[in-house]
Amino acid sequence: MIAYLFLFLIIAATIAYFIASRRAVAIAGNDARGLHSRPIYHGLNALVYTAIPAFIFILLWLLFEGSVIDMLLMSAYPGADAMTGAERDLLLSEIRQVAVGNIFREPTPEITAAVERFHSLNATANLLLGAAVVIIALAGAGLAVTSVSKRFLARHSFERSVTIFMIFASTVAILTTLGIVASLLYEAYLFFERVPVTDFLFGIRWEPQIPLREDQIAGQGAFGAIPVFVGTILISFLAMAVAVPVGILSAIYLTEYASPRFRAVVKPMLEVLAGIPTVVYGFFAVLTVAPALRQAGISIGLDVAPNSAIAAGGVMGIMLIPFISSLSDDAFAAVPQAIRDGSLAVGATKGETIRKVLLPAALPGIVGGVLLALSRAIGETMIVVMAAGLIAKMTVNPLDSVTTVTVQIVTLLIGDSEFDNPKTLAAFALGLMLFIITLFLNLIALRIVRKYRESY
Amino acid sequence: MMSEAAVEEAVGAKVDSQPPVKMQGRMVCVYYGDSQALYDVNLDIRKNQVTALIGPSGCGKSTFLRCLNRMNDTIDTCQVKGSITLDGGDIYDASVDVVELRARVGMVFQKPNPFPKSIYENIAYGPRIHGLARTKSEFDEIVETSLRKAGLFEEVKDRLTSPGTGLSGGQQQRLCIARAIAVSPEVILMDEPCSALDPIATAKVEELIDELRQNFTIVIVTHSMQQAARVSQRTAMFHLGNLVEEGDTDKMFTNPDDQRTQDYITGRFG
């Protein structure tokens, strides 16, 4: 049904486009200059008027159709007033299941009646929707076609429509972010109703369990986030310790020393590194790097945990190299050649020029890249889920096993979860903290990058 | 184009009345990849004189200038043939360290290119990498002397720590000249140093060039005939990669030997 409506809209809009533009051509006659807007704008304007209002109407209709039909079904169902919300949902889903033919048990006469009612409501709704869409589309087309005249500002009208569409496009991401923040805030609020904020922020025990029975001993969990954040910081630190030097040095080599041919080959390959799915890095860490580190540790008498922080952090560092190297690369390339020449002309060597002139000049860009990589490291999930541990230990020993915020969020929400206990809700509190931290880091990074743009 | 013998003869005839030769180019050819930019240029740069290189755009004068302190080395495809000497030593010899050469032959560029550092650090940069000073007071002295020589000290003495990029264009260019003289070079190359400056700043820089002649040997590329006439003692005219003619500035501007020089100076082409 909806598909037919869209097909109708496309055809109607195309026809309206041709009618309006032909009409504009006819009105203009031989004098193309007499027309304010060129015929194509009259056509485009008619196209927008025909298709867009009807399209928006369809979207709104679909948004509300389900709940309106549910309401009508319930109001006709005997005894529905006395039901709780959950019972209503159960009943509605049963009616829908029967309506599409999935019958698990013999339906009661009430349900059979409701199903019939459901079918007839649906039919009426489709009819109404179809009629309304046709009317709206034709009205829009008629309005646009009849307003075609020499002085009609069709270009302005069309450009306004385009502007509105661009405003919509630019706000989609913002609205989505706001939605995410709102849901995080709400769920985190539910969590903090059960666990005090201070316990969460300053507690040093992370044992996210809940008692299964009332009288269970030691079933009371602890939700102190510090060990988890220590783990995140440790792994991020290890990752940055790998990524920052390697990234910056490779950027220096590629921009200042490498031959164009070497650069043409290596730079795209570095960027391929950024395209490798993190899950692939994850099993590289857990199947290759971690056992190798453990072996090496045994051979020199060190006790390396099977899920060591250094394996996860190191591999994450490799993943981050392209971020830092490509942003640093841009920063170096943005330093004008004139400044390099100026330094060389007073007799500085290439190395001195790089250390004393290029690095300071490119520093803001490099710092921006490092901070972006850091917020990636903090938010990175897949590598640590696979290669880091699950137990929240308060340790800064890179050979030990630690857990991270993202790992805990994943484990808390995996499996059957009910959203009415602190165990699952804790995931949202952790998520909120993580969001705040990465937001903060991103803000700093953006500020630095912006400042950097102004300096040349 | 004059033959090599003719040049030698012309140079030889005047050698007594002229200051000693500081830098000498013989049969200099420059190639960018497959295309040749300079053809057999023979030119002497004399001590404590300002030598102006003139000619229409693309004639090779900047290329020649950049050969004198091997700035062309930074261009991968660039190849220099022939010989260029500084005090008799070939600067393209394998034993020459290009870093030392550039400390002796400084350069000022067309667009002012101060480092994004403070005014003080811009000047102290060269002395610091060459180890010309050790203590803070020695650096202070070099900075002040250089800025004074560049005629900039009075204007910036109260804000030596503010960024060099915050100065006006003319001040930036004088800062770059100060930066070049801070390492006490023997020769200063200037590549159209006034093309980005207004007339007042240009006048200041020209005045400065004239004063600097006392201590330095200067080679300047310029598009302004008046500037060449005002600041230089010797002028060399380039055209299509050839050195058309060189000689005393007075003679070049009043009675040039070559028709092309005549045409260029009077504005008939270029």
Side-chain angles (χ1 to χ4, degrees):
Chain A
M1 175 66 193
I2 301 295
Y4 286 125
L5 282 180
F6 282 141
L7 192 66
F8 164 76
L9 280 185
I10 291 170
I11 294 170
T14 317
I15 294 172
Y17 170 84
F18 281 111
I19 293 176
S21 54
R22 288 278 160 76
R23 214 172 115 88
V25 172
I27 286 175
N30 293 328
D31 177 23
R33 290 249 150 210
L35 214 53
H36 168 270
S37 307
R38 285 169 47 218
I40 186 173
Y41 286 110
H42 288 281
L44 287 172
N45 189 45
L47 187 140
V48 167
Y49 268 62
T50 311
I52 301 302
F55 179 69
I56 293 171
F57 181 80
I58 294 177
L59 289 188
L60 288 177
W61 180 281
L62 292 180
L63 204 60
F64 295 111
E65 186 188 31
S67 47
V68 171
I69 287 182
D70 285 354
M71 214 176 69
L72 291 174
L73 276 180
M74 281 295 104
S75 66
Y77 195 86
D81 296 339
M83 287 180 180
T84 64
E87 282 172 330
R88 277 164 175 258
D89 288 347
L90 214 59
L91 183 62
L92 280 171
S93 82
E94 189 179 354
I95 294 171
R96 281 173 195 277
Q97 287 298 325
V98 173
V100 292
N102 296 332
I103 300 169
F104 300 110
R105 56 170 188 186
E106 195 58 33
T108 59
E110 287 89 353
I111 292 203
T112 320
V115 167
E116 268 168 31
R117 206 173 145 66
F118 178 72
H119 282 308
S120 81
L121 279 174
N122 258 344
T124 321
N126 278 343
L127 203 64
L128 278 176
L129 174 64
V133 165
V134 170
I135 289 170
I136 292 172
L138 290 183
L143 181 66
V145 169
T146 51
S147 56
V148 173
S149 72
K150 281 194 172 183
R151 294 317 307 158
F152 178 56
L153 309 182
R155 178 166 53 81
H156 293 196
S157 172
F158 174 67
E159 281 170 355
R160 202 156 42 235
S161 314
V162 173
T163 314
I164 292 171
F165 182 74
M166 287 191 286
I167 292 171
F168 170 74
S170 59
T171 46
V172 166
I174 297 171
L175 290 176
T176 314
T177 313
L178 285 180
I180 292 173
V181 173
S183 77
L184 265 183
L185 278 176
Y186 176 70
E187 303 284 355
Y189 169 76
L190 291 182
F191 172 74
F192 288 126
E193 271 190 335
R194 291 169 171 80
V195 176
V197 182
T198 47
D199 282 11
F200 177 74
L201 287 182
F202 305 113
I204 56 165
R205 263 180 356 112
W206 178 261
E207 284 147 21
Q209 307 124 357
I210 43 163
L212 295 176
R213 305 184 309 272
E214 287 293 324
D215 55 344
Q216 195 173 12
I217 299 161
Q220 200 58 45
F223 293 95
I226 285 186
V228 190
F229 277 93
V230 166
T232 288
I233 291 166
L234 176 64
I235 286 187
S236 304
F237 175 80
L238 291 170
M240 298 312 279
V242 172
V244 171
V246 177
I248 292 178
L249 288 178
S250 78
I252 289 176
Y253 180 73
L254 286 179
T255 47
E256 304 300 323
Y257 290 98
S259 69
R261 274 179 56 198
F262 183 80
R263 184 180 154 86
V265 175
V266 170
K267 206 171 181 238
M269 282 172 73
L270 253 178
E271 269 145 26
V272 166
L273 212 54
I276 297 176
T278 55
V279 67
V280 176
Y281 283 108
F283 60 67
F284 177 61
V286 76
L287 296 180
T288 311
V289 177
L293 283 172
R294 193 165 161 76
Q295 275 300 306
I298 288 170
S299 66
I300 57 169
L302 279 174
D303 184 22
V304 183
N307 290 321
S308 58
I310 195 163
V315 171
M316 198 194 282
I318 304 289
M319 180 194 83
L320 296 174
I321 288 171
F323 284 89
I324 295 183
S325 80
S326 96
L327 277 161
S328 308
D329 196 303
D330 292 348
F332 284 121
V335 178
Q337 180 64 33
I339 288 185
R340 290 182 181 81
D341 287 349
S343 172
L344 294 175
V346 293
T349 65
K350 205 160 188 174
E352 286 163 341
T353 303
I354 291 166
R355 268 184 296 124
K356 299 191 172 161
V357 177
L358 287 189
L359 267 182
L363 193 65
I366 296 170
V367 173
V370 168
L371 284 179
L372 284 181
L374 181 59
S375 56
R376 273 297 297 249
I378 290 173
E380 170 53 38
T381 309
M382 213 55 225
I383 294 176
V384 281
V385 164
M386 295 173 82
L390 286 179
I391 297 159
K393 265 192 215 165
M394 267 290 257
T395 175
V396 289
N397 176 7
L399 305 180
D400 211 340
S401 154
V402 296
T403 191
T404 70
V405 179
T406 49
V407 171
Q408 288 307 312
I409 293 177
V410 170
T411 49
L412 289 175
L413 292 183
I414 273 179
D416 290 334
S417 24
E418 291 178 70
F419 288 85
D420 59 354
N421 63 56
K423 178 174 171 269
T424 31
L425 290 175
F428 292 96
L430 287 176
L432 183 67
M433 285 289 292
L434 204 59
F435 178 80
I436 291 171
I437 292 172
T438 49
L439 181 75
F440 191 66
L441 283 174
N442 271 320
L443 282 181
I444 296 176
L446 280 178
R447 274 190 81 99
I448 289 173
V449 170
R450 192 174 309 142
K451 199 177 158 199
Y452 155 70
R453 278 205 195 107
E454 288 166 359
S455 70
Y456 284 110
Chain B
M1 190 201 124
M2 296 166 93
S3 75
E4 200 192 342
V7 172
E8 294 287 357
E9 198 183 334
V11 169
K14 285 171 197 158
V15 84
D16 293 337
S17 60
Q18 294 282 352
V21 172
K22 183 73 184 169
M23 295 189 84
Q24 193 172 51
R26 281 294 172 271
M27 301 298 285
V28 178
C29 297
V30 178
Y31 304 83
Y32 291 114
D34 293 332
S35 65
Q36 192 167 358
L38 277 184
Y39 299 87
D40 303 328
V41 173
N42 296 296
L43 184 64
D44 293 348
I45 312 293
R46 290 174 184 281
K47 199 164 189 282
N48 296 99
Q49 279 199 340
V50 178
T51 306
L53 310 182
I54 61 170
S57 294
C59 67
K61 55 192 187 308
S62 288
T63 296
F64 182 74
L65 189 80
R66 290 169 67 92
C67 288
L68 296 178
N69 70 342
R70 294 183 54 178
M71 279 306 281
N72 280 337
D73 289 13
T74 58
I75 301 164
D76 290 332
T77 57
C78 182
Q79 245 194 321
V80 180
K81 296 213 170 101
S83 85
I84 299 175
T85 59
L86 172 63
D87 290 338
D90 189 345
I91 64 169
Y92 280 89
D93 193 83
S95 66
V96 170
D97 181 9
V98 67
V99 166
E100 269 173 58
L101 171 71
R102 288 182 191 144
R104 292 175 68 191
V105 184
M107 188 161 191
V108 176
F109 295 85
Q110 181 171 4
K111 264 179 72 184
N113 57 350
F115 304 133
K117 299 172 182 288
S118 70
I119 293 170
Y120 186 96
E121 282 303 319
N122 261 284
I123 311 289
Y125 178 77
R128 188 162 285 152
I129 57 177
H130 292 299
L132 300 184
R134 282 198 190 79
T135 61
K136 176 89 171 72
S137 61
E138 283 176 336
F139 275 113
D140 288 347
E141 198 188 317
I142 290 181
V143 170
E144 184 176 338
T145 325
S146 308
L147 282 172
R148 273 197 200 286
K149 277 189 197 155
L152 191 61
F153 186 71
E154 291 304 319
E155 291 164 59
V156 300
K157 63 181 175 191
D158 299 324
R159 46 175 175 145
L160 289 176
T161 53
S162 55
T165 44
L167 298 172
S168 75
Q171 289 174 325
Q172 284 188 18
Q173 194 60 299
R174 279 181 284 150
L175 178 67
C176 292
I177 294 174
R179 182 176 73 192
I181 58 189
V183 291
S184 317
E186 296 156 38
V187 183
I188 301 177
L189 311 176
M190 298 187 174
D191 191 356
E192 296 179 47
C194 301
S195 68
L197 305 184
D198 67 28
I200 295 169
T202 300
K204 280 192 177 163
V205 172
E206 284 181 6
E207 208 177 300
L208 172 63
I209 291 170
D210 201 48
E211 284 167 21
L212 292 177
R213 185 160 65 89
Q214 313 302 323
N215 303 313
F216 306 96
T217 303
I218 293 171
V219 186
I220 179 171
V221 166
T222 178
H223 271 143
S224 155
M225 293 307 106
Q226 292 89 336
Q227 185 169 61
R230 280 193 299 260
V231 302
S232 72
Q233 285 74 52
R234 301 277 292 177
T235 298
M237 162 76 189
F238 285 75
H239 185 230
L240 298 175
N242 294 299
L243 175 65
V244 172
E245 136 171 55
E246 60 121 2
D248 286 338
T249 300
D250 297 342
K251 178 172 178 298
M252 288 284 283
F253 277 85
T254 49
N255 184 23
D257 292 330
D258 197 288
Q259 186 59 37
R260 286 171 293 180
T261 312
Q262 174 85 36
D263 289 349
Y264 182 65
I265 288 169
T266 53
R268 230 162 284 165
F269 79 87

